[in-house]
Amino acid sequence: MAPSADKKLTGLIAATFTPFTREGEINLLEIGPYIDYLTEKQGVRNIFVNGTTGESMSLSVAERKILAEEWCQKAKGKMDQVIVHVGCMSLKDAQELTRHAEQIRADAIAVIAPSFFKPSNADVLKSFLQEVASAAPTLPFYYYHLPAITGVNVPAKDVLDGIEKLIPSFRGVKFSGSDLMDFGRCVSYCLPHWSVLYGVDEQLLAALAMGGHGAVGSTYNYAGCHVNKLISAFENGDLVQARTIQFKMQELLSHAMKLGFDLGVNKQLMNEVSGLCLGPPRLPVMPCPPDRAQSIARKYHSIFPEC
């Protein structure tokens, strides 16, 4: 994986689900077919593993290591970049996962803000990120901004200010928030070798117009082929086509949200659309009622009849 480690990250990055067996144990056998599905059916060649979609906070450190290693091994020669999320409530655990990511030759790591004992301001958060990064100082590093889940409402731009001096390996931010002013300020501050990646799938076009370099999201697991067309249309100046695809994604997600669209539903929708067997989520996330995922899958196929 290492040769592409300093290649600027652009385009779509699928935030992967963690495959489980019916008994709730990690299922490594499904990772190879999963990667083939992403590359061959969805045209997605970058992945963000062990993140929110991957239920990382419900996994043990040992499980996260096993998964990260399997993703990196199976992605070799097929994926452009594998970003391993190593954020934890414990600084020591995050550092341990960082050293492991370097050992398995992950292309980059990402770190979310701790959300139990929360950093009180940007300087405290930057100190935490710096300590994690110090465990593998040359490994490309991304800050994962997700205030709605972490409750850490520090503007991402405040985190970026001067961070290149603290973390020379810093390469950008996964911005999973709806504040497009803050997002735009991050893009404006961005150094040439950084990537500002948007994480609210239903608003991607707005982020591209603000200058975003790519996107990380769960829906790109099963709708990546369509969103790739959105990005191509935008880059070619065809805003009508780009808006048409974005509006279709909004129609799909609006339908899903009315039915109750959470991680359990999203994972089951991936099972329905892809044909993979990723299993149920792990408690406290509840499994999805089959009829709900099937209803959303029917809506998906009615909106997107083919790639």
Side-chain angles (χ1 to χ4, degrees):
M1 314 299 294
S4 64
D6 257 348
K7 180 182 177 183
K8 188 178 175 81
L9 187 55
T10 60
L12 288 188
I13 302 100
T16 57
F17 298 94
T18 292
F20 289 127
T21 65
R22 291 183 182 275
E23 294 72 36
E25 301 301 323
I26 58 174
N27 181 10
L28 300 181
L29 294 177
E30 205 68 12
I31 288 178
Y34 193 157
I35 288 170
D36 290 340
Y37 173 80
L38 289 176
T39 56
E40 296 170 11
K41 301 295 186 182
Q42 298 299 331
V44 173
R45 297 187 60 85
N46 300 289
I47 50 176
F48 185 97
V49 306
N50 291 352
T52 304
T53 303
E55 303 177 66
S56 61
M57 297 305 171
S58 297
L59 301 170
S60 68
V61 169
E63 287 176 321
R64 288 172 69 169
K65 286 182 176 181
I66 292 168
L67 284 160
E69 186 165 3
E70 189 72 10
W71 282 113
C72 286
Q73 286 182 351
K74 289 295 190 295
K76 190 173 183 179
K78 295 182 177 182
M79 287 282 173
D80 292 334
Q81 293 202 44
V82 178
I83 301 92
V84 177
H85 173 247
V86 299
C88 295
M89 298 302 101
S90 160
L91 172 61
K92 295 299 183 182
D93 286 348
Q95 289 174 324
E96 182 178 343
L97 288 171
T98 296
R99 286 188 289 269
H100 179 259
E102 182 178 48
Q103 291 166 6
I104 62 175
R105 298 175 67 80
D107 294 294
I109 56 171
V111 177
I112 201 168
S115 57
F116 189 86
F117 292 116
K118 297 177 176 62
S120 55
N121 55 52
D123 287 339
V124 176
L125 178 51
K126 283 189 278 191
S127 293
F128 178 86
L129 299 177
Q130 182 183 23
E131 286 296 314
V132 178
S134 69
T138 63
L139 189 59
F141 184 100
Y142 292 84
Y143 166 53
Y144 179 9
H145 179 67
L146 185 58
I149 297 296
T150 64
V152 179
N153 294 306
V154 176
K157 169 58 167 57
D158 292 353
V159 179
L160 265 56
D161 282 337
I163 201 165
E164 67 275 13
K165 299 186 180 89
L166 299 174
I167 307 175
S169 60
F170 192 81
R171 292 297 180 270
V173 56
K174 177 186 185 294
F175 190 106
S176 295
S178 58
D179 185 346
L180 286 174
M181 179 175 173
D182 188 23
F183 180 82
R185 295 183 72 226
C186 290
V187 174
S188 178
Y189 184 84
C190 185
L191 300 185
H193 59 291
W194 290 6
S195 298
V196 181
L197 308 164
Y198 198 53
V200 183
D201 304 8
E202 61 269 27
Q203 297 181 174
L204 173 58
L205 183 55
L208 294 176
M210 296 289 286
H213 304 106
V216 184
S218 61
T219 67
Y220 309 141
N221 284 286
Y222 49 81
C225 57
H226 307 294
V227 182
N228 273 324
K229 293 176 183 177
L230 183 160
I231 294 174
S232 294
F234 175 79
E235 291 175 344
N236 292 328
D238 188 350
L239 290 180
V240 173
Q241 176 66 2
R243 281 196 294 263
T244 297
I245 299 169
Q246 183 70 93
F247 293 159
K248 286 182 177 181
M249 284 296 296
Q250 290 177 344
E251 181 183 354
L252 173 66
L253 292 174
S254 176
H255 174 79
M257 290 171 186
K258 286 177 183 176
L259 296 177
F261 190 54
D262 60 11
L263 178 56
V265 176
N266 202 11
K267 190 174 191 181
Q268 185 57 35
L269 179 60
M270 175 62 173
N271 286 329
E272 297 284 343
V273 173
S274 69
L276 296 168
C277 297
L278 304 181
R282 180 174 284 181
L283 287 170
V285 180
M286 290 295 292
C288 169
D291 59 337
R292 188 182 306 177
Q294 289 163 8
S295 171
I296 301 170
R298 287 193 296 270
K299 185 72 171 179
Y300 171 89
H301 290 300
S302 71
I303 296 172
F304 298 114
E306 60 185 23
C307 275

